[in-house]
Amino acid sequence: MGGDYQFLEILLLAMVAGFILLRLRGVLGRRTGHERPPRGLPGSRDVRNEEKDDLEEDEKIITLPERGAQDGEDAAPVAPAGPPGLAAVRKIDRNFREAEFLEGAQAAYEMIVTAFARGDKQTLRPLLSNEVYASFEEAIDARDRAGESHETTLIGIKSAEISEAVVTNRTADITAKIVAELMNVTKNAQGEVIGGSGNTIEIVAEYWTYRRDLSSSDPNWVLIATSDQQ
């Protein structure tokens, strides 16, 4: 009886051990012979040797010349960005930056458009040349005499780029093409809409030309002309 009990105990232990082995095999997976051997064991590749092999392979790579470049020929020079006149501007004013100019041109555009709609001559005066200011002032006065009001809402500036740059002596004239989204509406003395619409967005493309004496310590540019065509 005691022998039967020991046999059953051994059989039970064997079954438990077999179950544990099956569980381990299921969790860890079965080796197929393609696994990467652990580091440090015989037959494994040292990482340092792998890096060395990679470097040796890199050293064997030959960089081919660019297409179109032949032996003995120099690479084509890179053309400067923007209109040719910008090179003359940069030569005189080494602090000139195209991105900064365009940022200022857009800010001036917004201020001028908004101030003109309000009839704000005080804001307009330092931003405009004498000729442009006289034209704007005449339009504002005529509007006031007629009892009309004008509203302009700048939705946003879609793009701004320099289209032309001219230097005469040391005075630079730079034209920026500005594409903006605007809503314009003009009302008469009775408040009736006589022009534009407060519900319609217009996409307006205009060329604004700014001028500055590059030899002057004054960094400000003034608007000297506006046009819808260049």
Side-chain angles (χ1 to χ4, degrees):
M1 189 72 178
D4 293 340
Y5 178 79
Q6 291 180 352
F7 175 78
L8 290 174
E9 185 178 8
I10 293 172
L11 180 62
L12 180 61
L13 291 175
M15 292 175 63
V16 171
F19 176 77
I20 293 174
L21 287 174
L22 288 174
R23 292 287 295 172
L24 289 174
R25 188 175 184 179
V27 173
L28 299 179
R30 180 180 302 176
R31 296 187 64 85
T32 64
H34 297 287
E35 295 82 11
R36 183 173 180 176
R39 293 181 185 178
L41 296 179
S44 65
R45 293 186 299 170
D46 194 319
V47 175
R48 290 170 297 181
N49 291 334
E50 289 181 5
E51 294 175 350
K52 181 178 179 181
D53 293 341
D54 291 340
L55 289 174
E56 290 175 354
E57 289 296 326
D58 291 341
E59 291 175 356
K60 297 176 183 177
I61 298 175
I62 300 175
T63 304
L64 298 177
E66 296 290 336
R67 294 185 62 182
Q70 303 295 330
D71 294 340
E73 293 184 0
D74 294 330
V78 178
L86 286 180
V89 176
R90 298 188 189 99
K91 185 176 181 180
I92 299 174
D93 183 2
R94 298 187 179 278
N95 294 320
F96 176 82
R97 299 293 183 271
E98 182 176 346
E100 293 178 1
F101 171 84
L102 287 173
E103 183 178 349
Q106 293 177 74
Y109 179 89
E110 181 176 359
M111 291 177 63
I112 292 170
V113 167
T114 304
F116 174 74
R118 293 198 310 260
D120 185 354
K121 299 178 184 178
Q122 185 176 359
T123 298
L124 289 172
R125 190 64 193 93
L127 300 173
L128 311 177
S129 67
N130 292 334
E131 295 78 7
V132 174
Y133 177 77
S135 177
F136 276 43
E137 183 181 39
E138 181 180 353
I140 292 172
D141 291 344
R143 193 172 64 201
D144 291 341
R145 287 192 299 269
E148 298 175 353
S149 63
H150 184 78
E151 298 176 6
T152 296
T153 302
L154 176 62
I155 305 302
I157 296 178
K158 294 176 65 67
S159 65
E161 61 181 0
I162 295 177
S163 62
E164 187 178 15
V166 177
V167 177
T168 304
N169 295 328
R170 298 182 69 85
T171 299
D173 292 348
I174 299 182
T175 301
K177 179 183 179 182
I178 300 176
V179 180
E181 294 179 317
L182 301 169
M183 286 196 302
N184 291 297
V185 58
T186 303
K187 299 179 181 180
N188 60 18
Q190 289 73 40
E192 300 170 338
V193 176
I194 59 175
S197 171
N199 300 319
T200 303
I201 297 177
E202 302 176 70
I203 298 180
V204 179
E206 295 181 309
Y207 294 87
W208 285 35
T209 302
Y210 298 88
R211 173 174 290 175
R212 176 176 174 261
D213 182 357
L214 300 178
S215 62
S216 172
S217 59
D218 184 358
N220 296 321
W221 297 74
V222 297
L223 181 67
I224 65 168
T226 64
S227 175
D228 57 0
Q229 295 180 350
Q230 187 172 12

